[in-house]
Amino acid sequence: MIEVKAPGKIMLAGEWSILEPGHSCIVLPVNRFVTVRIQESKKIIFNSEDIGLKNVILQWAPEDLMGHLTVDPVLPEQLMAKFNVCVCAIKNCLQFLTEQGIAIKPFELSVYSELSGVKIDDSNFVKPGLGSSAAVTVAVCKAILKFHDLDIDSVDGLELIFKLACLSHYFASGKLGSGFDVACSTYKKPIIYRIFNAEWLKNEICFAKNISNIVLLDWPDLRISEIKLPENMQLLIGFVGYSAPTTKMIEKMQKFKKENLVFYQEIMATINFVVYKLVGAFEHCDQVEIINLINQNRDLLSNLGAELGIELETKELKLLIDSAWALGAAAKFSGAGGGDCGIAVCFDKVIAQNITDKWHRIGIKNI
């Protein structure tokens, strides 16, 4: 049996701006994981306790340029929607292996997730926005490629997994995300991530005759590099207890961009410049500057929400942020806002413990 893991992620800086061409963000892995176990089998079988699937049989038929992957038994639409990204990841991997002349070996693949929910009370679990879908997709791709004897830890292997997982998300949803969450789950380290040229990739997807023609190409503008964090840096993650309505916020953001293009471009460029300066602050271990820049990022996101007419920094996120700030840390929401998680950054273990205690008293779930 082979076992692989992929971590969830948390955004340190660069929210919303990362969706724009040439922009970067800083994203960190968290110590919660998706684990995938894979072993030999007579058929391709999929299991996931997280979404209630057991002994689902997948049939692979490489009949033409793009092979077919069918699910047996046919699943209810609601359940299939949860399973679809895994189906796309499995199909993309099998398609790539077939194109490379590698014989497909039947396998049983089982998924276990620590990212799918945070316990709010005795009966309710809520997704905290730590990139569970990205981590699942990455872990599935890693497991299948490793099972077929590919080197998944080399530079080329990691790049292949990232691209296969990005495409799987696209084929599952019809939407091409920025990919920062997929990159963080793939590389399992703090990274500076610069988005690829999305228009170029969409065009390649439309006209490519196979998966290999996409994943073996260099993706224009894509940059992924490790960033070293100060050894004494304390990063705290707090969950406010409800998920963010990301799809609706993206729709409103796109509408706002069309109607207020100049302001939109200015604030996104400013957020991206804060990310650029923050990279330099980390390189020089400038603790004061790191704190100042994270707080600046918070202010810019708050201003963006006010102009947009959306409560990106909800009252619960504001409580999380202000309580950490009052105790001497920099703080901001992480991700799209509107719910999910906030972060606090400091360089003192006593301050970090005080924040954890404060969050507990005011109902913030520490992750």
PDB file of all heavy atoms in Angstrom, residues 284-304:
ATOM      1  N   HIS A 284      14.609  39.832   4.967  1.00  0.00           N
ATOM      2  CA  HIS A 284      15.473  40.534   5.923  1.00  0.00           C
ATOM      3  C   HIS A 284      15.063  40.291   7.374  1.00  0.00           C
ATOM      4  O   HIS A 284      15.630  40.902   8.290  1.00  0.00           O
ATOM      5  CB  HIS A 284      15.461  42.034   5.633  1.00  0.00           C
ATOM      6  CG  HIS A 284      16.067  42.395   4.309  1.00  0.00           C
ATOM      7  ND1 HIS A 284      15.325  42.537   3.150  1.00  0.00           N
ATOM      8  CD2 HIS A 284      17.354  42.627   3.950  1.00  0.00           C
ATOM      9  CE1 HIS A 284      16.118  42.845   2.148  1.00  0.00           C
ATOM     10  NE2 HIS A 284      17.356  42.909   2.597  1.00  0.00           N
ATOM     11  N   CYS A 285      14.074  39.414   7.568  1.00  0.00           N
ATOM     12  CA  CYS A 285      13.565  39.117   8.913  1.00  0.00           C
ATOM     13  C   CYS A 285      13.226  40.399   9.677  1.00  0.00           C
ATOM     14  O   CYS A 285      13.525  40.536  10.873  1.00  0.00           O
ATOM     15  CB  CYS A 285      14.565  38.278   9.712  1.00  0.00           C
ATOM     16  SG  CYS A 285      14.766  36.598   9.087  1.00  0.00           S
ATOM     17  N   ASP A 286      12.619  41.344   8.988  1.00  0.00           N
ATOM     18  CA  ASP A 286      12.244  42.630   9.574  1.00  0.00           C
ATOM     19  C   ASP A 286      10.865  42.488  10.230  1.00  0.00           C
ATOM     20  O   ASP A 286       9.833  42.669   9.589  1.00  0.00           O
ATOM     21  CB  ASP A 286      12.222  43.708   8.488  1.00  0.00           C
ATOM     22  CG  ASP A 286      12.047  45.107   9.040  1.00  0.00           C
ATOM     23  OD1 ASP A 286      11.497  45.252  10.157  1.00  0.00           O
ATOM     24  OD2 ASP A 286      12.435  46.075   8.352  1.00  0.00           O
ATOM     25  N   GLN A 287      10.866  42.166  11.518  1.00  0.00           N
ATOM     26  CA  GLN A 287       9.626  41.845  12.211  1.00  0.00           C
ATOM     27  C   GLN A 287       8.663  43.036  12.250  1.00  0.00           C
ATOM     28  O   GLN A 287       7.450  42.861  12.071  1.00  0.00           O
ATOM     29  CB  GLN A 287       9.932  41.374  13.627  1.00  0.00           C
ATOM     30  CG  GLN A 287      10.746  40.089  13.674  1.00  0.00           C
ATOM     31  CD  GLN A 287      11.062  39.630  15.087  1.00  0.00           C
ATOM     32  OE1 GLN A 287      10.506  40.144  16.053  1.00  0.00           O
ATOM     33  NE2 GLN A 287      11.959  38.668  15.213  1.00  0.00           N
ATOM     34  N   VAL A 288       9.186  44.216  12.496  1.00  0.00           N
ATOM     35  CA  VAL A 288       8.331  45.412  12.560  1.00  0.00           C
ATOM     36  C   VAL A 288       7.650  45.658  11.220  1.00  0.00           C
ATOM     37  O   VAL A 288       6.445  45.930  11.149  1.00  0.00           O
ATOM     38  CB  VAL A 288       9.158  46.650  12.981  1.00  0.00           C
ATOM     39  CG1 VAL A 288       8.306  47.920  12.881  1.00  0.00           C
ATOM     40  CG2 VAL A 288       9.690  46.483  14.399  1.00  0.00           C
ATOM     41  N   GLU A 289       8.409  45.530  10.129  1.00  0.00           N
ATOM     42  CA  GLU A 289       7.854  45.750   8.801  1.00  0.00           C
ATOM     43  C   GLU A 289       6.836  44.671   8.445  1.00  0.00           C
ATOM     44  O   GLU A 289       5.806  44.959   7.811  1.00  0.00           O
ATOM     45  CB  GLU A 289       8.977  45.793   7.763  1.00  0.00           C
ATOM     46  CG  GLU A 289       8.528  46.090   6.338  1.00  0.00           C
ATOM     47  CD  GLU A 289       8.070  47.523   6.109  1.00  0.00           C
ATOM     48  OE1 GLU A 289       7.936  48.276   7.108  1.00  0.00           O
ATOM     49  OE2 GLU A 289       7.843  47.892   4.952  1.00  0.00           O
ATOM     50  N   ILE A 290       7.094  43.428   8.840  1.00  0.00           N
ATOM     51  CA  ILE A 290       6.142  42.343   8.581  1.00  0.00           C
ATOM     52  C   ILE A 290       4.802  42.654   9.237  1.00  0.00           C
ATOM     53  O   ILE A 290       3.739  42.540   8.604  1.00  0.00           O
ATOM     54  CB  ILE A 290       6.700  40.996   9.095  1.00  0.00           C
ATOM     55  CG1 ILE A 290       7.888  40.550   8.216  1.00  0.00           C
ATOM     56  CG2 ILE A 290       5.612  39.916   9.089  1.00  0.00           C
ATOM     57  CD1 ILE A 290       8.678  39.393   8.795  1.00  0.00           C
ATOM     58  N   ILE A 291       4.843  43.066  10.493  1.00  0.00           N
ATOM     59  CA  ILE A 291       3.612  43.421  11.218  1.00  0.00           C
ATOM     60  C   ILE A 291       2.901  44.575  10.528  1.00  0.00           C
ATOM     61  O   ILE A 291       1.682  44.534  10.305  1.00  0.00           O
ATOM     62  CB  ILE A 291       3.932  43.782  12.679  1.00  0.00           C
ATOM     63  CG1 ILE A 291       4.477  42.568  13.437  1.00  0.00           C
ATOM     64  CG2 ILE A 291       2.700  44.361  13.372  1.00  0.00           C
ATOM     65  CD1 ILE A 291       3.490  41.455  13.626  1.00  0.00           C
ATOM     66  N   ASN A 292       3.647  45.616  10.170  1.00  0.00           N
ATOM     67  CA  ASN A 292       3.042  46.788   9.526  1.00  0.00           C
ATOM     68  C   ASN A 292       2.380  46.427   8.195  1.00  0.00           C
ATOM     69  O   ASN A 292       1.278  46.898   7.882  1.00  0.00           O
ATOM     70  CB  ASN A 292       4.105  47.865   9.303  1.00  0.00           C
ATOM     71  CG  ASN A 292       4.534  48.542  10.589  1.00  0.00           C
ATOM     72  OD1 ASN A 292       3.788  48.529  11.574  1.00  0.00           O
ATOM     73  ND2 ASN A 292       5.727  49.123  10.600  1.00  0.00           N
ATOM     74  N   LEU A 293       3.056  45.602   7.394  1.00  0.00           N
ATOM     75  CA  LEU A 293       2.539  45.275   6.065  1.00  0.00           C
ATOM     76  C   LEU A 293       1.309  44.380   6.132  1.00  0.00           C
ATOM     77  O   LEU A 293       0.381  44.530   5.338  1.00  0.00           O
ATOM     78  CB  LEU A 293       3.644  44.616   5.233  1.00  0.00           C
ATOM     79  CG  LEU A 293       4.773  45.554   4.790  1.00  0.00           C
ATOM     80  CD1 LEU A 293       5.953  44.767   4.243  1.00  0.00           C
ATOM     81  CD2 LEU A 293       4.273  46.544   3.753  1.00  0.00           C
ATOM     82  N   ILE A 294       1.277  43.448   7.065  1.00  0.00           N
ATOM     83  CA  ILE A 294       0.080  42.609   7.221  1.00  0.00           C
ATOM     84  C   ILE A 294      -1.104  43.464   7.642  1.00  0.00           C
ATOM     85  O   ILE A 294      -2.233  43.286   7.152  1.00  0.00           O
ATOM     86  CB  ILE A 294       0.344  41.466   8.211  1.00  0.00           C
ATOM     87  CG1 ILE A 294       1.340  40.471   7.596  1.00  0.00           C
ATOM     88  CG2 ILE A 294      -0.958  40.743   8.585  1.00  0.00           C
ATOM     89  CD1 ILE A 294       1.814  39.390   8.533  1.00  0.00           C
ATOM     90  N   ASN A 295      -0.860  44.433   8.525  1.00  0.00           N
ATOM     91  CA  ASN A 295      -1.928  45.358   8.911  1.00  0.00           C
ATOM     92  C   ASN A 295      -2.368  46.228   7.736  1.00  0.00           C
ATOM     93  O   ASN A 295      -3.561  46.533   7.579  1.00  0.00           O
ATOM     94  CB  ASN A 295      -1.478  46.222  10.079  1.00  0.00           C
ATOM     95  CG  ASN A 295      -1.484  45.463  11.404  1.00  0.00           C
ATOM     96  OD1 ASN A 295      -2.279  44.545  11.593  1.00  0.00           O
ATOM     97  ND2 ASN A 295      -0.597  45.839  12.312  1.00  0.00           N
ATOM     98  N   GLN A 296      -1.408  46.631   6.888  1.00  0.00           N
ATOM     99  CA  GLN A 296      -1.761  47.395   5.683  1.00  0.00           C
ATOM    100  C   GLN A 296      -2.642  46.562   4.754  1.00  0.00           C
ATOM    101  O   GLN A 296      -3.608  47.069   4.177  1.00  0.00           O
ATOM    102  CB  GLN A 296      -0.501  47.822   4.935  1.00  0.00           C
ATOM    103  CG  GLN A 296       0.244  48.988   5.554  1.00  0.00           C
ATOM    104  CD  GLN A 296       1.459  49.385   4.731  1.00  0.00           C
ATOM    105  OE1 GLN A 296       1.428  49.364   3.492  1.00  0.00           O
ATOM    106  NE2 GLN A 296       2.545  49.742   5.406  1.00  0.00           N
ATOM    107  N   ASN A 297      -2.304  45.296   4.619  1.00  0.00           N
ATOM    108  CA  ASN A 297      -3.114  44.404   3.782  1.00  0.00           C
ATOM    109  C   ASN A 297      -4.544  44.326   4.321  1.00  0.00           C
ATOM    110  O   ASN A 297      -5.514  44.351   3.566  1.00  0.00           O
ATOM    111  CB  ASN A 297      -2.469  43.017   3.743  1.00  0.00           C
ATOM    112  CG  ASN A 297      -2.957  42.139   2.606  1.00  0.00           C
ATOM    113  OD1 ASN A 297      -2.412  41.072   2.339  1.00  0.00           O
ATOM    114  ND2 ASN A 297      -3.999  42.553   1.902  1.00  0.00           N
ATOM    115  N   ARG A 298      -4.663  44.261   5.642  1.00  0.00           N
ATOM    116  CA  ARG A 298      -5.991  44.242   6.260  1.00  0.00           C
ATOM    117  C   ARG A 298      -6.777  45.505   5.904  1.00  0.00           C
ATOM    118  O   ARG A 298      -7.960  45.438   5.533  1.00  0.00           O
ATOM    119  CB  ARG A 298      -5.846  44.127   7.778  1.00  0.00           C
ATOM    120  CG  ARG A 298      -7.183  44.054   8.541  1.00  0.00           C
ATOM    121  CD  ARG A 298      -7.564  45.361   9.227  1.00  0.00           C
ATOM    122  NE  ARG A 298      -8.861  45.255   9.892  1.00  0.00           N
ATOM    123  CZ  ARG A 298      -9.061  45.454  11.201  1.00  0.00           C
ATOM    124  NH1 ARG A 298      -8.022  45.761  11.980  1.00  0.00           N
ATOM    125  NH2 ARG A 298     -10.281  45.366  11.712  1.00  0.00           N
ATOM    126  N   ASP A 299      -6.132  46.669   6.010  1.00  0.00           N
ATOM    127  CA  ASP A 299      -6.812  47.934   5.722  1.00  0.00           C
ATOM    128  C   ASP A 299      -7.269  48.005   4.265  1.00  0.00           C
ATOM    129  O   ASP A 299      -8.377  48.470   3.973  1.00  0.00           O
ATOM    130  CB  ASP A 299      -5.890  49.106   6.036  1.00  0.00           C
ATOM    131  CG  ASP A 299      -5.633  49.267   7.532  1.00  0.00           C
ATOM    132  OD1 ASP A 299      -6.441  48.748   8.331  1.00  0.00           O
ATOM    133  OD2 ASP A 299      -4.618  49.903   7.890  1.00  0.00           O
ATOM    134  N   LEU A 300      -6.412  47.551   3.356  1.00  0.00           N
ATOM    135  CA  LEU A 300      -6.764  47.585   1.939  1.00  0.00           C
ATOM    136  C   LEU A 300      -7.963  46.681   1.643  1.00  0.00           C
ATOM    137  O   LEU A 300      -8.862  47.049   0.879  1.00  0.00           O
ATOM    138  CB  LEU A 300      -5.562  47.153   1.095  1.00  0.00           C
ATOM    139  CG  LEU A 300      -4.409  48.162   1.018  1.00  0.00           C
ATOM    140  CD1 LEU A 300      -3.152  47.493   0.468  1.00  0.00           C
ATOM    141  CD2 LEU A 300      -4.799  49.362   0.152  1.00  0.00           C
ATOM    142  N   LEU A 301      -7.990  45.500   2.236  1.00  0.00           N
ATOM    143  CA  LEU A 301      -9.105  44.585   2.034  1.00  0.00           C
ATOM    144  C   LEU A 301     -10.396  45.147   2.632  1.00  0.00           C
ATOM    145  O   LEU A 301     -11.481  45.000   2.069  1.00  0.00           O
ATOM    146  CB  LEU A 301      -8.788  43.222   2.645  1.00  0.00           C
ATOM    147  CG  LEU A 301      -7.692  42.418   1.947  1.00  0.00           C
ATOM    148  CD1 LEU A 301      -7.314  41.190   2.775  1.00  0.00           C
ATOM    149  CD2 LEU A 301      -8.112  42.007   0.544  1.00  0.00           C
ATOM    150  N   SER A 302     -10.266  45.810   3.778  1.00  0.00           N
ATOM    151  CA  SER A 302     -11.426  46.438   4.402  1.00  0.00           C
ATOM    152  C   SER A 302     -11.980  47.552   3.518  1.00  0.00           C
ATOM    153  O   SER A 302     -13.192  47.673   3.323  1.00  0.00           O
ATOM    154  CB  SER A 302     -11.045  46.981   5.778  1.00  0.00           C
ATOM    155  OG  SER A 302     -12.153  47.585   6.412  1.00  0.00           O
ATOM    156  N   ASN A 303     -11.072  48.356   2.942  1.00  0.00           N
ATOM    157  CA  ASN A 303     -11.489  49.430   2.031  1.00  0.00           C
ATOM    158  C   ASN A 303     -12.145  48.872   0.775  1.00  0.00           C
ATOM    159  O   ASN A 303     -13.138  49.433   0.276  1.00  0.00           O
ATOM    160  CB  ASN A 303     -10.285  50.292   1.644  1.00  0.00           C
ATOM    161  CG  ASN A 303      -9.743  51.088   2.814  1.00  0.00           C
ATOM    162  OD1 ASN A 303     -10.423  51.294   3.817  1.00  0.00           O
ATOM    163  ND2 ASN A 303      -8.494  51.528   2.699  1.00  0.00           N
ATOM    164  N   LEU A 304     -11.589  47.775   0.284  1.00  0.00           N
ATOM    165  CA  LEU A 304     -12.158  47.137  -0.895  1.00  0.00           C
ATOM    166  C   LEU A 304     -13.594  46.688  -0.620  1.00  0.00           C
ATOM    167  O   LEU A 304     -14.500  46.912  -1.431  1.00  0.00           O
ATOM    168  CB  LEU A 304     -11.303  45.941  -1.312  1.00  0.00           C
ATOM    169  CG  LEU A 304     -11.813  45.104  -2.487  1.00  0.00           C
ATOM    170  CD1 LEU A 304     -11.894  45.930  -3.760  1.00  0.00           C
ATOM    171  CD2 LEU A 304     -10.917  43.883  -2.702  1.00  0.00           C
TER     172      LEU A 304
END
